[in-house]
Amino acid sequence: FVELSKEPAFIQSQKLNVPSLEGYLYPSTYFFGPGMKEEDMLVKMLDTFRESVEKKLEGVQKGAGDNLSFQEHLVMASLIEREARLDEDRPLIASVIFNRLAKDMKLQIDATVHFALDQWNRRLSLEDLKVDSPYNTYKNKGLPPGPICSPRVESILATYQAPKTDYLFYVLKGDGKHAFAKTAEEHAQNVAFFRKAQQDALDAERGPAAEDPASSAADSDKSKPPALDNKDGKNDGNEGQASDKMKPKQ
């Protein structure tokens, strides 16, 4: 199934000029009968993608200055899918990505590194961020060469409906929402504020009797989102929290 989704001949037979069907296999619930061929499964998922996306994009216009192809919109949507927890944040995250692209800034999205490593459920180290891959947005400017997941239509729409903002950074607040910032200084304040709030909540859950001075530093380090300058060398390993290290690099 996976190998077929990357087979050039099969992809071309579906009138697509892409290296892989990653991103085009619409996430939904499917009912496949026993003995159904892999080709038929993929075609069903492709047809669902086309029906769902084309219907939602009917009449939707690109924003001013949007020169991205549909494939590039799909790549951006896959990043948003991995980053956003709530639909209301998707267009704002899209605006951050557009702004960083316009300023020729690296996107620095952890999900792209997880994709490059094919490891989603562990914390990233500084060495991980150096992985040699065209998908690594810590090393390469611009969008990755292809989608890193199959995004829902809400994420695709967000790339066409991104509001005009000056945001360049965002951090997950802990309640599913993100805090957005225009400057590195403002972003650092957001990171510190929500890090402290998260730690205070953990301390309240543990209670005074549960505190262990010998281990409190290590415990709190594991519970915190990554710092702006990434000096701790790790993030929290959760999908969608890459952006609290998104910082401009000259």
Side-chain angles (χ1 to χ4, degrees), residues 71-85:
Q71 172 70 2
E72 289 170 323
H73 273 273
L74 191 63
V75 173
M76 185 187 294
S78 73
L79 305 182
I80 296 169
E81 186 67 30
R82 284 294 185 180
E83 293 288 280
R85 304 294 178 85

Side-chain angles (χ1 to χ4, degrees), residues 60-93:
V60 174
Q61 301 295 322
K62 287 185 177 182
D66 179 0
N67 298 316
L68 300 184
S69 65
F70 175 76
Q71 172 70 2
E72 289 170 323
H73 273 273
L74 191 63
V75 173
M76 185 187 294
S78 73
L79 305 182
I80 296 169
E81 186 67 30
R82 284 294 185 180
E83 293 288 280
R85 304 294 178 85
L86 302 175
D87 287 346
E88 64 193 68
D89 279 353
R90 295 178 196 273
L92 290 172
I93 292 175

